[in-house]
Each structure stands twice: as structure tokens, then as C-alpha cells.
Amino acid sequence: MLTIRATAAAAGSFMLAMAAPLPAAQPASEPAPPGRVELVEPVEQVAASTITGYLKVKLANLARINPANPAADSDDNQTLSLFGREDLIAATSAIYRPTKCVPLPSAPDVLDDIARRAADTSVVIINESHEHSDHRGFTAEVAHRLRPLGYDALAIETLVNDSPDVPEQFRAPFVRQPALPYLTDDDGYYSTEAGFGRLGRAAKALGYHLIAYEIVISGPPVAKLTRAQSIAEREEAQATTLAAFLKANPGTKLLVHVGYSHAMEVPTKDGITWMAARLKAKTGIDPLTISQTTCRGGSDTTHLAELPADEPKGAFDLVVDHPTARFVQGRPAWRVAAGDQPVAIPAALVPKQGWRVIEARPVGEPDASVPIDRVAIRAGNTVALMLPPGRYALRVIDVARPKTAAKSRR
């Protein structure tokens, strides 16, 4: 029988049926046999109402999504992706629709070409779609290839950039405790997604220094800004922060992970100058800019593509074209290619109604860490956890649907 440890706040919130037992639990000090994934007992059970911080916000957004028709509103796509359910949005999201980019005539290995070109500069900027976990996995591969070239700092858009007057004890955990081997749920908005958490783990293991550079927002706005003014304010603040870091740390080599257009190093047709272009002007450093959002679905393998004719000339130095997303037991197939094993979620944990979030962390890690996997499941699901070999403790978060169906907007 599956053993459940419920907190007082969550006790009695759901009943568990009999199910096949998990693999036999071992003392936490014992490693899993090589090549195997083991889930240990007991399973911790909590209610979403007990969660705080950034995760609380996202759980509230998930609660407002109808489990019976989750992809009905495109505004929910990021939330579903952050909870590991890219499979629910891939068929309808324009961000997953294949483009018709032209492959480069020559076909060098993508990572080899990135490393070769990164050796000629000290700043590499790579973007992502906030709906694609594979973009974070690819950036982790890039970080691994660049580390021997002297790249030692990783700036990530999502990381909390506290204003200077925030007391040390209230700063984000990645600042207060840089030696932690993991990111926490309060280190950033997008970084609570498991793939982002893995990028953070990989960077920390490689010895990267993590940098926050997002615009600092303190107090109400003094005036209503136009869209162009708002973008300009944000891009200027980001570029200024990164330029100051580079000036204060001569000799450092910087990898920057951004969203979408922030990586563009020339102005767009509508006259917007994004962060990469501003950083280039401020530092005199010509960055290697890489887009993962311009092209997709060109073949069954990741390759380099030509910049489409409708993009400004010189917008990106390299365009990476990833394959069309595929899924294994409801989870991204790229995770299997990266070494994960699909692990069935015990039937006793599948909800009868509503959403439930299943988390898997290495045994002994606190609940504050971004788990190795975090996935939202609903009634009738056959969704798997995706885990590399190791021993994991599970936490179940029961998500109650609010009485009103009105959605919160971020």
C-alpha cells in the first residue's frame, strides 16, 4: 500500500485507492542501483493553499484552468508548460507550429559551431520561448560547451533582481545562498519549471556565477508609458545592468539566457532596440546571438537554419531549428533523449477530479528546491514523471478549483 504523509492543513483532502506498491524504500544514505530510478516512501501530501511565493501564484493560475478543456484559452499556455504539460498545448499553440526555414547549405554540428564562434567573443546571448522546455535543455548544453572556453557567468532573465535597498535576509535564495546546488521556487517566475530548474542545477555544477539583470520595479509607475516606451525602459535597464557587471568583472565571459526578442542585436522594423543591441553599443563587445524561437520543425534533428527574409538582417548570428515537439506518455520526448526515464505515476495519486501536481526531488532535498520534475495531472491521465537515474521523494499538491472561473492574468 502506498504510504502518504499529510500535513495538518492537507489531511483528509483526498482518499487514496489501493495500488501496486512503489519500489521498496531504502535508507536515504543509500544510492539507487546504477541506471535505475527509485521512488521512496512516504509520499508527502499538501494543499495548494499552504504554498507561498511564486509557486502559489502559478498554482492559482493552474486552479483556474478547466481540466476538461485545458487548451481552450491561449493565455493559459505558459501555465500549462510551467507545470510540464506542453502536450496539452502543442496542437493549438502557434509557438509549436512548424515554420518553413531554410537549412544552412553546410551542416556543421550545432554545438561545435556555437563553441567555435563563442571563442571569438566574451558574450553569448541565447533566447527561448517560455512555452518550450527543450530550449532550456539546449541552453544547458551550450553552457556545458562554453565552460572550457572560460565562460563563467550565466545571466538568466527570470532571476529576481532585487532593488539595492532590499535587506540581505530578504534577497532571493540564489543570492543569499549561492552554494546551494539547486534553484528554489522563489528565485524567479519561470525558474519554477523543472527544465529551468535543471538548467540552474547544471550551471551551478559547472561553476557558473548566476546573474540577475531584469529591470527593477519598485513602487507605482510615475506615468503611463506607451508600449514602445515600456519596452525601451526595460531593455535599457537590462543592458545597463549587464554592462555594469562586465565593467566590474574584467576578463569574465558571459552567457545570457533571455526570452524571445531580447537577443536581437539590431533594431526591429518598428524601431525597437532590444537588449542585445543596447549591450553591444554600451560595451563595444559584439555578442554571439542565438535564436531558438525563429525557426522550428525543419527536420527530425536540431540544425542551423538561415535567418528568414522577413527578419531584420543581422538580427541573430545563428538560428537553431529544433524538431517538432514529440511526446512520450504525455511528456516531451527530448527528455528521454537527454537521459531521463519515463516513470509511471502510481494510480493512487491520480485525482478523481481537478488538478493535482506531482513533484519528484532527490531524497533529502527540501521542498523549497525546484524539483527534478513537476507535472500537473488530471483524472484519467497516464502521464509519466521524467527522471534521470536516482532516488526520489514525491510531494503531491492538491489544487482546488476556485468557485469562480475567472482567470488571473500576469
Side-chain angles (χ1 to χ4, degrees):
M1 183 172 180
L2 190 62
T3 304
I4 302 294
R5 180 178 68 244
T7 64
S13 63
F14 65 91
M15 299 293 292
L16 289 174
M18 293 291 290
L22 295 172
Q26 300 178 22
S29 59
E30 294 186 16
R36 284 183 55 186
V37 172
E38 290 189 352
L39 307 179
V40 303
E41 296 181 349
V43 175
E44 181 183 6
Q45 174 198 344
V46 300
S49 59
T50 68
I51 304 297
T52 61
Y54 278 126
L55 184 57
K56 178 184 180 69
V57 175
K58 280 165 283 195
L59 286 168
N61 289 339
L62 177 66
R64 291 174 173 86
I65 298 174
N66 182 0
N69 190 21
D73 191 332
S74 61
D75 286 341
D76 295 327
N77 286 354
Q78 282 190 8
T79 295
L80 291 167
S81 178
L82 290 173
F83 283 104
R85 298 310 304 271
E86 294 164 80
D87 62 310
L88 297 178
I89 64 176
T92 57
S93 171
I95 303 300
Y96 281 82
R97 192 172 302 136
T99 59
K100 296 181 180 179
C101 292
V102 178
L104 285 182
S106 58
D109 179 85
V110 177
L111 290 169
D112 283 349
D113 203 45
I114 290 173
R116 178 182 63 81
R117 299 184 64 164
D120 294 329
T121 184
S122 57
V123 177
V124 174
I125 305 174
I126 184 169
N127 73 0
E128 72 154 27
S129 159
H130 299 319
E131 294 180 9
H132 279 265
S133 63
D134 60 324
H135 292 176
R136 293 149 193 176
F138 187 77
T139 294
E141 293 187 68
V142 170
H144 190 273
R145 294 295 293 268
L146 298 191
R147 191 67 183 92
L149 302 178
Y151 284 80
D152 54 3
L154 173 61
I156 309 179
E157 177 185 311
T158 188
L159 293 177
V160 173
N161 192 15
D162 292 312
S163 61
D165 58 349
V166 173
E168 182 67 23
Q169 67 268 30
F170 298 123
R171 291 185 177 273
F174 82 94
V175 176
R176 290 186 287 106
Q177 299 174 278
L180 289 176
Y182 48 77
L183 292 177
T184 74
D185 281 326
D186 287 330
D187 281 327
Y189 187 84
Y190 296 113
S191 56
T192 60
E193 189 270 322
F196 232 139
R198 293 199 197 191
L199 169 59
R201 289 174 187 266
K204 284 171 170 280
L206 289 166
Y208 279 90
H209 178 53
L210 298 186
I211 307 296
Y213 70 94
E214 183 58 275
I215 184 173
V216 175
I217 300 175
S218 56
V222 295
K224 185 173 179 60
L225 301 178
T226 66
R227 176 179 178 273
Q229 289 171 332
S230 179
I231 291 174
E233 181 182 55
R234 182 183 182 192
E235 303 308 298
E236 181 66 13
Q238 291 181 344
T240 298
T241 298
L242 290 175
F245 170 76
L246 290 169
K247 183 177 181 179
N249 296 273
T252 195
K253 290 192 172 186
L254 176 65
L255 173 61
V256 190
H257 182 85
V258 308
Y260 300 105
S261 298
H262 300 295
M264 295 185 74
E265 58 177 297
V266 300
T268 55
K269 295 176 182 178
D270 55 3
I272 295 175
T273 303
W274 296 87
M275 183 276 290
R278 294 171 185 265
L279 182 62
K280 182 177 180 178
K282 290 177 182 294
T283 63
I285 300 171
D286 185 8
L288 172 64
T289 52
I290 306 167
S291 175
Q292 298 187 85
T293 63
T294 305
C295 299
R296 55 191 170 272
S299 74
D300 293 333
T301 60
T302 298
H303 64 276
L304 296 175
E306 293 183 359
L307 187 70
D310 60 351
E311 292 282 353
K313 185 177 180 180
F316 306 103
D317 294 314
L318 294 174
V319 175
V320 177
D321 190 337
H322 291 294
T324 298
R326 295 185 300 104
F327 299 94
V328 176
Q329 295 183 46
R331 307 305 305 284
W334 77 266
R335 296 270 291 264
V336 177
D340 283 4
Q341 297 179 16
V343 179
I345 293 172
L349 300 183
V350 178
K352 301 297 185 204
Q353 61 182 4
W355 293 104
R356 188 163 292 155
V357 175
I358 310 295
E359 302 175 333
R361 291 178 176 85
V363 171
E365 262 192 19
D367 290 341
S369 72
V370 179
I372 296 294
D373 200 12
R374 170 181 276 150
V375 62
I377 61 175
R378 53 189 178 146
N381 269 189
T382 55
V383 178
L385 290 165
M386 285 290 184
L387 299 169
R391 301 184 68 238
Y392 299 92
L394 298 185
R395 182 171 76 159
V396 174
I397 304 176
D398 211 24
V399 181
R401 185 165 170 81
K403 294 180 180 179
T404 61
K407 279 199 265 298
S408 67
R409 295 287 186 246
R410 178 176 179 264

